[in-house]
Amino acid sequence: MFVCSCNAYRDTQIADAARKGARTACEAYEALGNGPNCGGCLDTATEIVEQVHAARTASHAAFSNAAD
């Protein structure tokens, strides 16, 4: 799904940037080549970045618990 119509960024691109280390929506946009323009998409982009990092945290916790 398109999240940012100004830059034509898809949810998958933003999630991939988050998996590669972007901690905020703006960092994800910068990693993709352009910062946000109008800002109308930042709430959705922020949710995507947060979901990626929450899933990573949960995955790491599950792995740590399994190792104990």
Side-chain angles (χ1 to χ4, degrees):
M1 128 182 115
F2 281 102
V3 172
C4 175
S5 57
C6 294
N7 291 308
Y9 293 150
R10 294 181 174 273
D11 56 338
T12 54
Q13 293 173 287
I14 295 167
D16 189 47
R19 282 190 289 277
K20 291 179 180 175
R23 303 295 300 172
T24 66
C26 288
E27 286 181 8
Y29 281 36
E30 289 171 16
L32 293 169
N34 290 309
N37 288 327
C38 76
C41 56
L42 288 177
D43 287 343
T44 303
T46 296
E47 287 178 26
I48 293 167
V49 171
E50 288 174 353
Q51 287 172 357
V52 166
H53 289 294
R56 278 187 149 177
T57 300
S59 176
H60 288 301
F63 180 74
S64 294
N65 290 337
D68 289 341

